[in-house]
Amino acid sequence: MRILSGIQPSGSMHIGNYLGAVRQWVNSQNPDAYYCIVDLHALTLQIEPARLREQTVDYLASLLAAGLDPEVCTLFIQSQVPYHAQMNWLLECVATYGELSRMTQFKEKASRQEGYRVGLLTYPVLMAGDILLYSAQQVPVGDDQRQHLELTREIAERFNNRYGEVFTVPVGVQPKASARVMDLQEPTRKMSKSLASPLGLIYLNDTPQEIDKKIKKAVTDTDNEVRFDWESKPGLSNLLEMYSSFSGESPEVVAGRYDRYGDLKRDLAELVIASLEPMQRRYRELRADEGALRALAARGAEKASAVAGSVYERAAAAMGL
Ligand code: AMP
Ligand code: TRP
């Protein structure tokens, strides 16, 4: 199965990224799977150059620590494969201003700042190129990327109709649970790197004390009835779904074991700490050898280029270049 997915190296990786996307990547990795750290996408918002460089390496280590195996799949850095930027231009001449300006994520992010960058608007085109360059059949992502995936399909179909069959039309795949992990302080808003509230996100590298504190302080309602119900109990349901994602049980079964929020929170904190601990240990080992991480990314970029290059050439030729 040809798979491609990506993650931005902005902020630190959090459990929304892990449960919504990265864990699926690990479970579906195969010799035809390509995973990239999309550093070009990270330029759409303000980020210090040194920080971007540093975090890109952090993300390599985090993805390996989470279980990606470079002997099985291909892991690479987007900017090291120049076809992504080149394909972006071809597809900017296929996508329309109207469809880009209707994207929910664009409208949200643009409304929060003045003088936003053009890249914020065209971001989904770059993403479509990431996917189409690899002829991906499946794209494992969290729920917030659904709309971008639909647009990618639309762009691929339009291109194929206009210029001939070059692209595979991909489908997005969401996990059964935790496709949308919510902020612990504002459970009606998704956990998000770009809106980091200090207590609302659990990062993969948080200490046990931090995890414990954040879960204990998570916002819930006051009626103290443990029930899985997103409509009337979003905060509690978020905790139950998180529990269920780490333990493999259904959220209803988990809910049935508890009478008090405090007990659920205590056990959830323990479960999250224990689940992240082996990843944190591997992360520290891997991150200590930056040379090895960079060498691995270079090999990944070489493998990725071979695939992306041939699709790019076909797309360019089809358009008359
Ligand atoms: P990003 O950090 O925006 O690059 O997202 C990387 C991946 O994590 C994408 O597949 C997102 O859909 C997924 N993701 C981000 N935030 C969440 C969340 N709160 N819940 C579930 N998945 C998420
Ligand atoms: N836009 C995605 C996000 O913010 C990241 C991304 C970029 C991506 N290119 C991609 C995801 C290609 C899947 C496939 O989460």
Side-chain angles (χ1 to χ4, degrees):
M1 177 68 70
R2 183 59 70 84
I3 293 174
L4 178 122
S5 196
I7 186 164
Q8 298 188 62
S10 49
S12 299
M13 210 184 284
H14 55 73
I15 55 169
N17 295 136
Y18 177 66
L19 296 175
V22 173
R23 195 163 69 166
Q24 296 192 80
W25 301 7
V26 172
N27 292 335
S28 55
Q29 62 184 320
N30 72 76
D32 240 4
Y34 294 79
Y35 300 114
C36 62
I37 297 171
V38 292
D39 52 350
L40 297 175
H41 278 88
L43 296 175
T44 56
L45 298 174
Q46 166 64 24
I47 184 164
E48 276 305 310
R51 207 172 152 74
L52 177 56
R53 199 169 294 122
E54 172 97 7
Q55 283 177 174
T56 301
V57 184
D58 295 346
Y59 270 64
L60 283 170
S62 289
L63 292 172
L64 297 169
L68 285 188
D69 180 352
E71 301 295 324
V72 175
C73 64
T74 303
L75 176 59
F76 67 100
I77 298 169
Q78 184 187 32
S79 65
Q80 295 185 349
V81 179
Y83 300 113
H84 291 255
Q86 288 179 270
M87 183 61 102
N88 179 59
W89 181 253
L90 302 192
L91 298 182
E92 278 192 21
C93 297
V94 175
T96 68
Y97 176 79
E99 61 198 354
L100 292 177
S101 60
R102 282 194 294 274
M103 291 290 116
T104 311
Q105 201 170 82
F106 163 71
K107 287 192 284 191
E108 270 173 21
K109 289 187 178 172
S111 73
R112 280 189 249 129
Q113 53 185 310
E114 288 200 357
Y116 57 80
R117 305 166 186 199
V118 178
L120 198 62
L121 175 71
T122 57
Y123 172 119
V125 179
L126 181 61
M127 172 167 168
D130 298 340
I131 297 168
L132 301 178
L133 277 172
Y134 296 85
S135 307
Q137 297 160 288
Q138 289 193 351
V139 184
V141 281
D143 186 69
D144 61 337
Q145 297 302 312
R146 269 174 201 273
Q147 198 183 29
H148 292 160
L149 247 299
E150 271 316 302
L151 179 67
T152 300
R153 292 166 56 83
E154 179 71 32
I155 291 173
E157 279 163 6
R158 189 178 308 150
F159 183 103
N160 287 347
N161 288 334
R162 198 177 286 167
Y163 300 110
E165 291 286 325
V166 172
F167 296 136
T168 301
V169 181
V171 293
V173 205
Q174 273 82 42
K176 282 190 203 72
S178 293
R180 192 175 191 83
V181 176
M182 309 308 274
D183 186 287
L184 297 176
Q185 289 296 312
E186 279 184 60
T188 50
R189 194 182 81 192
K190 73 165 181 179
M191 191 178 278
S192 163
K193 293 186 266 202
S194 57
L195 273 180
S197 50
L199 287 171
L201 281 76
I202 296 176
Y203 296 107
L204 295 189
N205 283 324
D206 272 351
T207 62
Q209 295 73 20
E210 286 166 328
I211 296 171
D212 192 62
K213 178 171 159 199
K214 289 173 180 177
I215 292 179
K216 295 219 165 112
K217 289 193 185 268
V219 168
T220 46
D221 52 80
T222 51
D223 81 5
N224 237 332
E225 188 198 344
V226 182
R227 183 158 49 83
F228 185 57
D229 176 354
W230 276 108
E231 282 286 303
S232 56
K233 293 173 162 287
L236 188 73
S237 301
N238 193 36
L239 299 180
L240 286 168
E241 190 154 326
M242 200 181 290
Y243 193 116
S244 129
S245 296
F246 281 109
S247 80
E249 301 157 288
S250 78
E252 289 83 1
V253 164
V254 177
R257 277 209 299 276
Y258 292 97
D259 293 323
R260 293 215 308 255
Y261 293 178
D263 297 339
L264 168 69
K265 285 180 166 180
R266 183 200 59 223
D267 288 359
L268 174 62
E270 235 172 67
L271 176 64
V272 174
I273 290 166
S275 308
L276 297 186
E277 200 271 334
M279 272 190 258
Q280 297 182 337
R281 207 162 357 97
R282 282 198 297 274
Y283 175 84
R284 285 192 294 270
E285 283 165 22
L286 291 157
R287 189 64 183 82
D289 192 349
E290 184 158 339
L293 292 169
R294 291 201 179 278
L296 180 147
R299 282 197 301 279
E302 212 173 299
K303 273 165 77 185
S305 286
V307 176
S310 94
V311 175
Y312 174 78
E313 293 302 339
R314 279 198 288 136
M319 292 179 95
L321 299 177

